[in-house]
Amino acid sequence: MTTKAQHVNQLHREAMELADESFVARLEKDRKRYLHFTRLALEKEAAAAELMVDEDVEPTRSVLHRSAATLAWRCQEYDRAKRLAYRALAGNPPSDIEWELNDLLSTVKLEEAGIHLGRGQLQFSLQGGEIGYGKAAISELSSRMPSIRSMLQITAKCCYRRLSYVEGGIVDDFSEIPIFVDGFAPGSFIVTLRLGSPIQNELPGFEHFENIVEPFLEHLNLLDKGEFYELQQELDDPNAYLGFVKAARKLAPDGNRVDSVKFQASVHDQLKIVSFKVTQRHLADVPLPEPSAEHETLNGYIVTDSDLEKEGVLKLADGLVKTECVLVTDDNAKWDIEGPEDVLDDIVRAYFKRRVAISGKQMKKQKNRVNRIRLASTSDVSAIDDQDQQESTDIPALSLPDA
């Protein structure tokens, strides 16, 4: 390795160490330290790129310039960021790095134009051979809007479940998120989407819509990078993953008319950007799971795949509604019984106040299994004996537990 190559490697290594320090400062929300270490990293990386400016060594040359340009953008040194990016493009960068450089340039131009995003706002942009500055075929926009809404809805539902699980609360389900277009902006084709409504700008249980926007961008980023298993783990529901990928197939660029779909938002007072580069053709080849055998029931309960058997005394939960019943086991645990109305009606008539054996599917809410059994037919219940039936008559009536 030549002395020059060694110097370049040393500068780059020092720049990355400083960039790591700036990343830690960002996590700690220390803006002053973040900018300090980012500027130091910029000087090191720009010096390394300068040493390679007359060299035709790729991808080293373009990678160093791209890295330096990105650091300059983070320092809000927009002119310097553009110069470094254009210098990289003047060489012979690989196609993927060329794409990233052009994407960075479009981002820098947006910030130069003074386009700033508030909480609950998501900027959506299209770029491609048939996308002009501020102009796009209505079909390219309208065909993607339902996908954006579906993907945001899936992410929001995931957030609701986790919030309810962590805080122990019950959050009502919802069918869609209202999305408003705030207007058009210069620079390719860009619209700003605002989540909420003219009157109520926040969903129950959320501080603001940033709580939805940030995980949405994370989910999109995982999909773009091909980290499908990680995305499934994040969504924690096969049906949610299935819906998210299917919607993304319509959102993704086709590689012809549209070659870039980008989202950016202000997250914790920092601009977060996700460029969705994976194409519709590529996503069409992604294997998808079969729809889950689990299905949602009333009040957000889900039927599990595990069989369950319990013995106890069958009681009414509410004397006015005879199809709501409870099984009281020997340890005085109360199990809500669920099933088709005609099945429950027959069971209550035949087995009320009797000791029975019940088999069915245990149910859960979010990740927690609950004392709730789903019956398929009357054959899932059978009486035990008359002695236990007589003992059961002394058990007091129950009140219907809260869902």
Side-chain angles (χ1 to χ4, degrees), residues 179-285:
I179 300 177
F180 297 83
V181 178
D182 271 357
F184 297 85
S188 54
F189 181 83
I190 303 165
V191 294
T192 299
L193 307 177
R194 179 167 52 84
L195 282 62
S197 68
I199 299 174
Q200 179 66 33
N201 290 324
E202 299 175 2
L203 290 174
F206 282 88
E207 213 174 287
H208 47 68
F209 273 106
E210 185 176 324
N211 298 74
I212 296 177
V213 170
E214 182 179 11
F216 169 73
L217 294 177
E218 292 294 340
H219 294 163
L220 197 65
N221 191 43
L222 288 173
L223 187 60
D224 184 61
K225 293 191 297 184
E227 297 180 1
F228 307 121
Y229 175 76
E230 290 78 2
L231 178 59
Q232 290 185 62
Q233 294 297 108
E234 282 292 314
L235 293 173
D236 193 32
D237 181 347
N239 289 333
Y241 173 75
L242 185 68
F244 197 88
V245 175
K246 283 185 174 181
R249 285 175 173 174
K250 298 179 181 180
L251 171 67
D254 60 11
N256 182 18
R257 298 182 303 276
V258 175
D259 55 36
S260 168
V261 173
K262 181 162 68 176
F263 292 90
Q264 56 187 41
S266 176
V267 177
H268 306 306
D269 297 323
Q270 297 283 342
L271 186 66
K272 186 175 181 64
I273 301 172
V274 173
S275 296
F276 200 41
K277 303 181 291 295
V278 62
T279 63
Q280 294 174 350
R281 178 177 296 181
H282 178 75
L283 285 177
D285 296 331

Side-chain angles (χ1 to χ4, degrees), residues 304-367:
T304 71
D305 291 327
S306 58
D307 291 317
L308 191 71
E309 292 186 1
K310 288 289 179 182
E311 293 183 5
V313 178
L314 198 64
K315 301 289 292 182
L316 286 180
D318 187 336
L320 298 178
V321 185
K322 68 178 180 179
T323 54
E324 290 181 345
C325 54
V326 172
L327 182 75
V328 181
T329 59
D330 293 339
D331 58 358
N332 208 35
K334 304 175 183 67
W335 288 78
D336 295 310
I337 310 301
E338 182 173 308
E341 185 174 340
D342 57 338
V343 170
L344 291 183
D345 186 63
D346 290 341
I347 289 172
V348 169
R349 254 201 312 260
Y351 299 110
F352 176 52
K353 288 190 177 181
R354 298 185 64 182
R355 185 173 179 83
V356 296
I358 289 183
S359 61
K361 300 288 187 182
Q362 186 173 7
M363 304 181 72
K364 67 179 184 178
K365 196 163 191 178
Q366 287 85 48
K367 295 183 179 180

